[in-house]
Amino acid sequence: MPDTRESTLRGDCANCFGLCCVALPFAKSADFAVNKSSGEPCRNLQEDFRCGIHTRLRPSGFQGCTVYDCFGAGQQVSQVTFGGVSWREAPETARQMYEVFPVVRQLHELLRYLTEALALPTARPVHAELRAALARVEELTGGTPDALEKLDVGPVRAEVNPLLLRTSELVRATAGGRPKSRRGADLIGKRLRGAKLRGTDLRGALLIAADLTGADLSLADLIGADLRDADLSDADLTGALFLTQPQLNSARGNAATRLPEGFDRPAHWTA
């Protein structure tokens, strides 16, 4: 992820009221050890809004928490939208705060992609439109709680998506050959060891538990691709487009996996 706006587009738990631990529901499964309803504080949430088992989430049965990122929406809603007054201090704001949080999270995700696109020299032909879209989305994130609660993010995504698609086309065209499309493909559990996927459109592809050991994913568009339990050991993701930290956190890999600049190698990956 580009460094620009990094502080606002990455989760900052120290400045959040634990919103992902309260607003979002989850069901007992391989990802979560217990059931939790929306608006119900997680049993591991402490008084200071920090997670009591943050350093041992996976062995404690909360793997799902390790693959979530609010893209900075938590601190935005906590410190800006609601002026630094928590749902504990003002319980009457709790319901609306929980409604607004996922809306801002979607907006921040769009900001994350737009910011990345603007950092790509190859996308210069659409930079002016990208900057305009970025300004419009940023303006929306600064709305009042009432405005954000009523906001339909669908039309906003419909405005931004063609620009991201055009960015993808411009960048992937530099990969050489004819860019391939596996958009939305069902590749669950597929054996793709050493696959030549450089510059491939994998937007929304289902790569759950796929064996991508040693695969070349450089310059591939991975926006929305499901990489849960995919094996990225020895794979090359250099220059991969619209990849997010949660996607990496949900996958498997090793010390030889080549990552784009600015990403953290997940702690559960092998040496």
Side-chain angles (χ1 to χ4, degrees), residues 103 106-107 110 140 146-159:
V103 174
Q106 291 182 71
L107 293 175
L110 292 177
L140 290 173
D146 287 344
L148 287 165
E149 184 179 12
K150 296 173 184 175
L151 179 65
D152 181 358
V153 183
V156 184
R157 285 189 175 278
E159 176 187 351

Coordinates of all heavy atoms in Angstrom, one line a residue, residues 103 106-107 110 140 146-159:
V103 N -20.5 1.8 6.9 CA -20.6 2.7 5.8 C -19.3 3.4 5.5 O -18.8 3.4 4.4 CB -21.7 3.8 6.0 CG1 -21.7 4.8 4.9 CG2 -23.1 3.1 6.1
Q106 N -16.6 1.1 4.1 CA -16.7 1.0 2.6 C -16.1 2.2 1.9 O -15.4 2.0 0.9 CB -18.2 0.8 2.2 CG -18.8 -0.5 2.7 CD -20.2 -0.7 2.1 OE1 -20.5 -0.8 1.0 NE2 -21.2 -0.5 3.0
L107 N -16.4 3.3 2.4 CA -15.8 4.5 1.8 C -14.3 4.5 1.9 O -13.6 4.9 1.0 CB -16.4 5.8 2.5 CG -17.9 6.1 2.3 CD1 -18.3 7.3 3.1 CD2 -18.2 6.3 0.8
L110 N -12.6 2.3 -0.6 CA -12.6 3.0 -1.9 C -11.4 4.0 -1.9 O -10.7 4.1 -2.9 CB -13.9 3.7 -2.2 CG -15.1 2.8 -2.5 CD1 -16.3 3.7 -2.7 CD2 -14.8 1.9 -3.7
L140 N -17.4 12.8 1.5 CA -18.5 12.0 2.0 C -18.1 11.5 3.4 O -18.9 11.4 4.3 CB -18.8 10.8 1.1 CG -19.5 11.2 -0.2 CD1 -19.6 9.9 -1.1 CD2 -20.9 11.8 0.0
D146 N -25.9 11.6 10.7 CA -27.2 11.4 10.0 C -27.0 11.2 8.5 O -27.6 10.3 7.9 CB -28.1 12.6 10.2 CG -28.7 12.7 11.6 OD1 -28.7 11.7 12.3 OD2 -29.2 13.8 12.0
A147 N -26.1 12.0 7.9 CA -25.9 11.9 6.5 C -25.2 10.5 6.1 O -25.6 9.9 5.2 CB -25.0 13.0 6.0
L148 N -24.3 10.1 7.0 CA -23.6 8.9 6.7 C -24.5 7.7 6.9 O -24.4 6.7 6.2 CB -22.4 8.7 7.6 CG -21.2 9.6 7.2 CD1 -20.2 9.7 8.4 CD2 -20.5 9.1 6.0
E149 N -25.4 7.7 7.9 CA -26.3 6.6 8.1 C -27.3 6.4 6.9 O -27.6 5.3 6.6 CB -27.1 6.9 9.4 CG -28.1 5.8 9.8 CD -28.8 6.0 11.1 OE1 -28.9 7.2 11.5 OE2 -29.4 5.1 11.6
K150 N -27.6 7.5 6.3 CA -28.5 7.4 5.1 C -27.8 7.2 3.8 O -28.5 6.9 2.8 CB -29.3 8.8 5.0 CG -30.2 9.0 6.2 CD -30.8 10.4 6.2 CE -31.7 10.8 7.4 NZ -32.2 12.2 7.4
L151 N -26.5 7.3 3.8 CA -25.8 7.2 2.5 C -25.8 5.8 1.9 O -25.6 4.8 2.6 CB -24.3 7.5 2.8 CG -23.4 7.5 1.6 CD1 -23.8 8.5 0.6 CD2 -21.9 7.7 2.0
D152 N -26.1 5.8 0.6 CA -26.1 4.5 -0.2 C -24.7 4.5 -0.9 O -24.5 5.3 -1.8 CB -27.2 4.5 -1.2 CG -27.3 3.3 -2.0 OD1 -26.4 2.4 -1.8 OD2 -28.2 3.1 -2.9
V153 N -23.9 3.6 -0.5 CA -22.5 3.5 -1.0 C -22.5 2.9 -2.4 O -21.6 3.1 -3.2 CB -21.6 2.7 -0.1 CG1 -20.2 2.7 -0.6 CG2 -21.6 3.3 1.3
G154 N -23.6 2.2 -2.8 CA -23.7 1.6 -4.1 C -23.3 2.6 -5.3 O -22.5 2.3 -6.1
P155 N -24.0 3.7 -5.4 CA -23.7 4.6 -6.5 C -22.3 5.2 -6.4 O -21.7 5.5 -7.5 CB -24.7 5.8 -6.2 CG -25.9 5.1 -5.5 CD -25.2 4.1 -4.6
V156 N -21.7 5.3 -5.2 CA -20.4 5.8 -5.1 C -19.4 4.7 -5.7 O -18.5 5.0 -6.4 CB -20.0 6.0 -3.6 CG1 -18.6 6.6 -3.5 CG2 -21.0 6.9 -3.0
R157 N -19.6 3.5 -5.3 CA -18.8 2.4 -5.9 C -19.0 2.3 -7.4 O -18.0 2.1 -8.2 CB -19.3 1.0 -5.3 CG -18.8 0.8 -3.9 CD -19.1 -0.6 -3.5 NE -18.6 -0.9 -2.2 CZ -17.3 -1.2 -1.9 NH1 -16.4 -1.3 -2.9 NH2 -16.9 -1.5 -0.7
A158 N -20.2 2.6 -7.9 CA -20.4 2.5 -9.4 C -19.7 3.7 -10.1 O -19.3 3.5 -11.3 CB -21.9 2.7 -9.6
E159 N -19.4 4.7 -9.4 CA -18.6 5.8 -10.0 C -17.1 5.5 -10.0 O -16.4 5.8 -10.9 CB -18.9 7.1 -9.2 CG -18.0 8.3 -9.6 CD -18.2 9.5 -8.7 OE1 -19.1 9.5 -7.8 OE2 -17.4 10.5 -8.8

